[in-house]
Short mmCIF file of all heavy atoms in Angstrom, two decimals:
data_model
loop_
_atom_site.label_atom_id
_atom_site.label_comp_id
_atom_site.label_asym_id
_atom_site.label_seq_id
_atom_site.Cartn_x
_atom_site.Cartn_y
_atom_site.Cartn_z
N MET A 99 55.97 64.56 -6.67
CA MET A 99 56.18 66.02 -7.03
C MET A 99 57.70 66.30 -6.78
O MET A 99 58.18 66.05 -5.67
CB MET A 99 55.39 67.01 -6.44
CG MET A 99 55.59 68.34 -6.78
SD MET A 99 54.65 69.65 -6.15
CE MET A 99 53.45 69.11 -5.17
N LEU A 100 58.39 66.87 -7.77
CA LEU A 100 59.75 67.15 -7.63
C LEU A 100 59.94 68.51 -7.00
O LEU A 100 60.79 68.74 -6.12
CB LEU A 100 60.53 67.10 -8.87
CG LEU A 100 60.58 65.71 -9.52
CD1 LEU A 100 61.27 65.75 -10.83
CD2 LEU A 100 61.34 64.72 -8.60
N ARG A 101 59.27 69.43 -7.48
CA ARG A 101 59.38 70.84 -6.87
C ARG A 101 58.25 71.66 -7.27
O ARG A 101 57.71 71.59 -8.45
CB ARG A 101 60.59 71.46 -7.50
CG ARG A 101 60.84 72.90 -7.24
CD ARG A 101 61.84 73.14 -6.17
NE ARG A 101 61.81 74.56 -5.81
CZ ARG A 101 62.91 75.18 -5.50
NH1 ARG A 101 64.09 74.67 -5.48
NH2 ARG A 101 62.93 76.52 -5.20
N ALA A 102 57.70 72.48 -6.37
CA ALA A 102 56.63 73.36 -6.60
C ALA A 102 57.04 74.85 -6.21
O ALA A 102 57.63 74.93 -5.27
CB ALA A 102 55.36 73.07 -5.93
N PHE A 103 57.03 75.75 -7.21
CA PHE A 103 57.32 77.16 -6.91
C PHE A 103 56.45 78.07 -7.63
O PHE A 103 56.04 77.73 -8.69
CB PHE A 103 58.82 77.22 -7.19
CG PHE A 103 59.18 77.10 -8.61
CD1 PHE A 103 59.13 78.06 -9.52
CD2 PHE A 103 59.53 75.66 -9.10
CE1 PHE A 103 59.48 77.88 -10.81
CE2 PHE A 103 59.81 75.53 -10.40
CZ PHE A 103 59.81 76.60 -11.34
N GLN A 104 56.46 79.24 -7.11
CA GLN A 104 55.67 80.38 -7.70
C GLN A 104 56.55 81.09 -8.57
O GLN A 104 57.71 81.42 -8.33
CB GLN A 104 55.15 81.30 -6.64
CG GLN A 104 54.28 82.39 -7.28
CD GLN A 104 53.65 83.26 -6.22
OE1 GLN A 104 53.87 83.06 -5.05
NE2 GLN A 104 52.80 84.19 -6.65
N LYS A 105 56.07 81.25 -9.89
CA LYS A 105 56.87 81.99 -10.89
C LYS A 105 57.17 83.47 -10.40
O LYS A 105 56.19 84.16 -10.18
CB LYS A 105 56.28 81.89 -12.19
CG LYS A 105 57.00 82.33 -13.47
CD LYS A 105 58.02 81.53 -13.79
CE LYS A 105 58.55 81.89 -15.21
NZ LYS A 105 59.85 81.29 -15.37
N LYS A 106 58.55 83.77 -10.28
CA LYS A 106 58.85 85.17 -9.94
C LYS A 106 59.83 85.81 -10.80
O LYS A 106 60.55 86.62 -10.43
CB LYS A 106 59.29 85.16 -8.51
CG LYS A 106 58.39 84.70 -7.40
CD LYS A 106 59.03 84.56 -6.15
CE LYS A 106 58.12 83.85 -5.07
NZ LYS A 106 58.68 83.74 -3.72
N SER A 107 59.92 85.39 -12.09
CA SER A 107 60.87 85.82 -12.89
C SER A 107 60.66 87.19 -13.23
O SER A 107 59.58 87.78 -13.41
CB SER A 107 60.96 85.05 -14.26
OG SER A 107 61.86 85.63 -15.08
N LYS A 108 61.81 88.02 -13.19
CA LYS A 108 61.84 89.50 -13.45
C LYS A 108 62.15 89.85 -14.78
O LYS A 108 62.17 90.95 -15.27
CB LYS A 108 62.73 90.24 -12.52
CG LYS A 108 62.14 90.08 -11.08
CD LYS A 108 63.03 90.66 -10.00
CE LYS A 108 62.33 90.51 -8.64
NZ LYS A 108 63.36 90.62 -7.59
N LYS A 109 62.56 88.81 -15.65
CA LYS A 109 63.08 89.03 -16.96
C LYS A 109 62.09 88.11 -17.89
O LYS A 109 62.67 86.92 -18.36
CB LYS A 109 64.50 88.68 -17.10
CG LYS A 109 65.43 89.54 -16.28
CD LYS A 109 66.83 89.24 -16.57
CE LYS A 109 67.83 90.23 -15.83
NZ LYS A 109 69.25 89.96 -16.06
N GLY A 110 61.09 88.50 -18.23
CA GLY A 110 60.14 87.79 -19.11
C GLY A 110 59.79 86.39 -18.56
O GLY A 110 59.28 86.35 -17.43
N ILE A 111 59.82 85.30 -19.48
CA ILE A 111 59.16 83.99 -19.01
C ILE A 111 60.37 82.99 -18.52
O ILE A 111 60.09 81.93 -18.25
CB ILE A 111 58.51 83.38 -20.15
CG1 ILE A 111 59.38 83.14 -21.37
CG2 ILE A 111 57.27 84.22 -20.46
CD1 ILE A 111 58.64 82.39 -22.51
N ALA A 112 61.61 83.55 -18.51
CA ALA A 112 62.64 82.65 -18.16
C ALA A 112 62.67 82.14 -16.77
O ALA A 112 62.33 82.95 -15.82
CB ALA A 112 64.00 83.24 -18.32
N THR A 113 62.90 80.89 -16.49
CA THR A 113 63.03 80.35 -15.13
C THR A 113 64.37 80.58 -14.55
O THR A 113 65.37 80.28 -15.20
CB THR A 113 62.68 78.88 -15.14
OG1 THR A 113 61.40 78.74 -15.62
CG2 THR A 113 62.67 78.25 -13.75
N PRO A 114 64.45 81.11 -13.35
CA PRO A 114 65.78 81.42 -12.74
C PRO A 114 66.65 80.09 -12.68
O PRO A 114 66.17 79.02 -12.51
CB PRO A 114 65.40 81.81 -11.33
CG PRO A 114 64.09 82.35 -11.47
CD PRO A 114 63.43 81.51 -12.50
N LYS A 115 67.92 80.22 -12.96
CA LYS A 115 68.83 79.05 -12.97
C LYS A 115 68.89 78.35 -11.75
O LYS A 115 69.04 77.16 -11.68
CB LYS A 115 70.25 79.55 -13.42
CG LYS A 115 70.46 79.98 -14.80
CD LYS A 115 71.84 80.33 -15.17
CE LYS A 115 71.90 80.76 -16.69
NZ LYS A 115 73.33 81.03 -17.06
N ALA A 116 68.74 79.16 -10.53
CA ALA A 116 68.83 78.39 -9.29
C ALA A 116 67.70 77.41 -9.16
O ALA A 116 67.80 76.31 -8.59
CB ALA A 116 68.75 79.38 -8.13
N ASP A 117 66.46 77.79 -9.65
CA ASP A 117 65.32 76.87 -9.58
C ASP A 117 65.55 75.72 -10.65
O ASP A 117 65.29 74.60 -10.26
CB ASP A 117 64.08 77.62 -10.08
CG ASP A 117 63.45 78.49 -8.90
OD1 ASP A 117 63.87 78.27 -7.78
OD2 ASP A 117 62.73 79.40 -9.34
N ILE A 118 66.15 75.92 -11.75
CA ILE A 118 66.39 74.89 -12.77
C ILE A 118 67.42 73.84 -12.10
O ILE A 118 67.15 72.69 -12.06
CB ILE A 118 66.93 75.39 -14.06
CG1 ILE A 118 65.70 76.20 -14.68
CG2 ILE A 118 67.48 74.35 -14.87
CD1 ILE A 118 66.10 76.88 -16.06
N GLU A 119 68.39 74.37 -11.43
CA GLU A 119 69.39 73.50 -10.79
C GLU A 119 68.81 72.71 -9.73
O GLU A 119 69.04 71.44 -9.56
CB GLU A 119 70.66 74.22 -10.31
CG GLU A 119 71.47 74.85 -11.48
CD GLU A 119 71.92 73.79 -12.42
OE1 GLU A 119 72.39 72.65 -11.99
OE2 GLU A 119 71.89 73.78 -13.65
N ALA A 120 67.98 73.30 -8.83
CA ALA A 120 67.29 72.55 -7.72
C ALA A 120 66.37 71.49 -8.33
O ALA A 120 66.34 70.33 -7.67
CB ALA A 120 66.54 73.52 -6.84
N ILE A 121 65.66 71.72 -9.31
CA ILE A 121 64.77 70.84 -10.03
C ILE A 121 65.69 69.60 -10.59
O ILE A 121 65.27 68.38 -10.28
CB ILE A 121 63.98 71.46 -11.14
CG1 ILE A 121 62.84 72.35 -10.55
CG2 ILE A 121 63.17 70.35 -11.88
CD1 ILE A 121 62.32 73.31 -11.42
N LYS A 122 66.74 69.96 -11.18
CA LYS A 122 67.49 68.81 -11.78
C LYS A 122 68.15 67.94 -10.64
O LYS A 122 68.15 66.73 -10.78
CB LYS A 122 68.78 69.39 -12.59
CG LYS A 122 68.22 70.00 -13.92
CD LYS A 122 69.39 70.56 -14.54
CE LYS A 122 69.06 71.23 -15.98
NZ LYS A 122 70.21 71.74 -16.69
N THR A 123 68.62 68.64 -9.47
CA THR A 123 69.13 67.76 -8.42
C THR A 123 68.15 66.84 -7.84
O THR A 123 68.31 65.71 -7.56
CB THR A 123 69.62 68.79 -7.38
OG1 THR A 123 70.64 69.60 -7.96
CG2 THR A 123 70.13 68.11 -6.16
N ARG A 124 66.78 67.34 -7.70
CA ARG A 124 65.70 66.56 -7.01
C ARG A 124 65.24 65.46 -8.01
O ARG A 124 65.02 64.34 -7.65
CB ARG A 124 64.62 67.40 -6.73
CG ARG A 124 64.79 68.37 -5.53
CD ARG A 124 63.61 69.11 -5.16
NE ARG A 124 64.05 69.98 -4.05
CZ ARG A 124 63.11 70.48 -3.18
NH1 ARG A 124 61.95 70.18 -3.21
NH2 ARG A 124 63.60 71.42 -2.21
N LEU A 125 65.34 65.85 -9.32
CA LEU A 125 65.12 64.71 -10.33
C LEU A 125 66.12 63.55 -10.19
O LEU A 125 65.77 62.42 -10.27
CB LEU A 125 65.07 65.26 -11.68
CG LEU A 125 64.77 64.27 -12.94
CD1 LEU A 125 63.37 63.58 -12.71
CD2 LEU A 125 64.91 65.00 -14.20
N ARG A 126 67.42 63.87 -10.16
CA ARG A 126 68.36 62.95 -9.99
C ARG A 126 68.29 62.04 -8.81
O ARG A 126 68.37 60.76 -8.83
CB ARG A 126 69.78 63.49 -10.00
CG ARG A 126 70.27 63.83 -11.40
CD ARG A 126 71.82 64.24 -11.42
NE ARG A 126 71.63 65.66 -11.95
CZ ARG A 126 72.07 66.70 -11.37
NH1 ARG A 126 72.41 66.64 -10.15
NH2 ARG A 126 72.00 67.91 -11.86
N MET A 127 67.89 62.76 -7.60
CA MET A 127 67.65 61.96 -6.47
C MET A 127 66.40 61.06 -6.57
O MET A 127 66.45 59.93 -6.12
CB MET A 127 67.51 62.94 -5.29
CG MET A 127 68.68 63.66 -4.94
SD MET A 127 68.47 65.07 -3.70
CE MET A 127 67.59 64.29 -2.43
N ALA A 128 65.45 61.59 -7.20
CA ALA A 128 64.18 60.73 -7.33
C ALA A 128 64.44 59.52 -8.33
O ALA A 128 63.91 58.44 -7.96
CB ALA A 128 63.03 61.60 -7.93
N GLU A 129 65.28 59.70 -9.28
CA GLU A 129 65.60 58.69 -10.26
C GLU A 129 66.39 57.66 -9.56
O GLU A 129 66.13 56.45 -9.70
CB GLU A 129 66.32 59.22 -11.52
CG GLU A 129 65.47 59.88 -12.41
CD GLU A 129 66.27 60.60 -13.63
OE1 GLU A 129 67.48 60.88 -13.41
OE2 GLU A 129 65.55 60.79 -14.57
N ALA A 130 67.35 57.99 -8.71
CA ALA A 130 68.11 57.05 -7.94
C ALA A 130 67.32 56.28 -6.96
O ALA A 130 67.47 54.97 -6.92
CB ALA A 130 69.25 57.95 -7.20
N ASP A 131 66.48 56.89 -6.34
CA ASP A 131 65.60 56.25 -5.39
C ASP A 131 64.67 55.31 -6.08
O ASP A 131 64.54 54.16 -5.64
CB ASP A 131 64.69 57.39 -4.61
CG ASP A 131 63.70 56.70 -3.64
OD1 ASP A 131 64.23 56.04 -2.64
OD2 ASP A 131 62.60 56.75 -3.78
N HIS A 132 64.05 55.65 -7.25
CA HIS A 132 63.30 54.75 -7.95
C HIS A 132 64.00 53.45 -8.38
O HIS A 132 63.56 52.46 -8.21
CB HIS A 132 62.79 55.44 -9.30
CG HIS A 132 61.95 54.74 -10.19
ND1 HIS A 132 60.66 54.35 -10.06
CD2 HIS A 132 62.42 54.03 -11.34
CE1 HIS A 132 60.25 53.52 -10.94
NE2 HIS A 132 61.30 53.29 -11.83
N HIS A 133 65.28 53.71 -8.96
CA HIS A 133 66.11 52.62 -9.41
C HIS A 133 66.36 51.77 -8.14
O HIS A 133 66.27 50.46 -8.37
CB HIS A 133 67.29 53.07 -10.15
CG HIS A 133 66.96 53.65 -11.45
ND1 HIS A 133 66.47 52.75 -12.48
CD2 HIS A 133 67.17 54.81 -12.01
CE1 HIS A 133 66.31 53.66 -13.56
NE2 HIS A 133 66.68 54.96 -13.24
N ALA A 134 66.79 52.25 -7.03
CA ALA A 134 67.02 51.54 -5.91
C ALA A 134 65.86 50.66 -5.43
O ALA A 134 66.01 49.47 -5.16
CB ALA A 134 67.53 52.41 -4.75
N ARG A 135 64.68 51.27 -5.50
CA ARG A 135 63.44 50.52 -4.90
C ARG A 135 63.17 49.41 -5.90
O ARG A 135 62.76 48.34 -5.48
CB ARG A 135 62.36 51.43 -4.82
CG ARG A 135 62.41 52.31 -3.70
CD ARG A 135 61.25 53.41 -3.69
NE ARG A 135 61.55 54.37 -2.77
CZ ARG A 135 60.79 54.48 -1.64
NH1 ARG A 135 59.97 53.56 -1.30
NH2 ARG A 135 61.01 55.44 -0.91
N PHE A 136 63.20 49.53 -7.06
CA PHE A 136 62.87 48.58 -8.05
C PHE A 136 64.00 47.50 -8.34
O PHE A 136 63.55 46.34 -8.49
CB PHE A 136 62.45 49.07 -9.39
CG PHE A 136 61.05 49.70 -9.54
CD1 PHE A 136 60.82 50.95 -9.35
CD2 PHE A 136 60.02 48.76 -9.65
CE1 PHE A 136 59.56 51.47 -9.42
CE2 PHE A 136 58.73 49.28 -9.64
CZ PHE A 136 58.37 50.66 -9.53
N ALA A 137 65.10 47.91 -8.11
CA ALA A 137 66.28 46.95 -8.27
C ALA A 137 66.15 45.86 -7.06
O ALA A 137 66.49 44.74 -7.19
CB ALA A 137 67.61 47.60 -8.17
N MET A 138 65.73 46.51 -5.88
CA MET A 138 65.60 45.51 -4.72
C MET A 138 64.44 44.49 -4.94
O MET A 138 64.59 43.44 -4.43
CB MET A 138 65.31 46.36 -3.45
CG MET A 138 66.42 47.17 -2.92
SD MET A 138 66.03 48.36 -1.67
CE MET A 138 65.68 47.12 -0.37
N GLN A 139 63.49 44.84 -5.59
CA GLN A 139 62.38 43.96 -5.94
C GLN A 139 62.54 43.17 -7.20
O GLN A 139 61.78 42.23 -7.56
CB GLN A 139 61.13 44.77 -6.17
CG GLN A 139 60.71 45.46 -4.85
CD GLN A 139 59.45 46.35 -5.06
OE1 GLN A 139 58.96 46.48 -6.17
NE2 GLN A 139 59.07 47.10 -4.15
N GLY A 140 63.66 43.49 -7.97
CA GLY A 140 63.92 42.75 -9.24
C GLY A 140 62.82 43.06 -10.30
O GLY A 140 62.63 42.33 -11.15
N GLN A 141 62.33 44.30 -10.29
CA GLN A 141 61.31 44.72 -11.26
C GLN A 141 61.70 45.95 -12.00
O GLN A 141 60.83 46.81 -12.20
CB GLN A 141 59.96 44.97 -10.52
CG GLN A 141 59.44 43.73 -9.83
CD GLN A 141 58.14 44.00 -9.17
OE1 GLN A 141 57.76 45.23 -9.05
NE2 GLN A 141 57.62 43.11 -8.40
N GLU A 142 63.03 46.11 -12.31
CA GLU A 142 63.45 47.27 -13.03
C GLU A 142 62.57 47.42 -14.35
O GLU A 142 62.59 46.63 -15.21
CB GLU A 142 64.87 47.23 -13.38
CG GLU A 142 65.45 48.55 -13.90
CD GLU A 142 65.32 49.72 -13.09
OE1 GLU A 142 65.51 49.55 -11.85
OE2 GLU A 142 65.26 50.79 -13.45
N PRO A 143 61.82 48.55 -14.59
CA PRO A 143 61.08 48.87 -15.71
C PRO A 143 61.96 48.94 -17.01
O PRO A 143 63.02 49.39 -16.99
CB PRO A 143 60.29 50.02 -15.46
CG PRO A 143 60.80 50.67 -14.26
CD PRO A 143 61.74 49.64 -13.57
#
């Protein structure tokens, strides 16, 4: 799981930019970790 948060938007259904940036950052970190783990095993998908 990259991020779990309760929706608290005060302007309709838009997700706050801070939450979007935090999710993007964690996704990049997770992708880098995934690639590092599989590269070490020689099993890059």
Side-chain angles (χ1 to χ4, degrees):
M99 176 179 353
L100 296 177
R101 172 101 189 221
F103 59 94
Q104 184 175 0
K105 188 74 169 157
K106 298 179 185 176
S107 179
K108 295 178 179 159
K109 294 184 178 182
I111 62 172
T113 301
K115 287 185 180 183
D117 285 340
I118 291 174
E119 290 304 315
I121 293 167
K122 287 180 181 180
T123 300
R124 289 183 185 206
L125 176 60
R126 278 187 242 115
M127 290 172 51
E129 287 174 333
D131 180 61
H132 174 79
H133 290 295
R135 289 175 189 255
F136 279 99
M138 290 173 64
Q139 297 175 0
Q141 299 176 359
E142 186 65 33

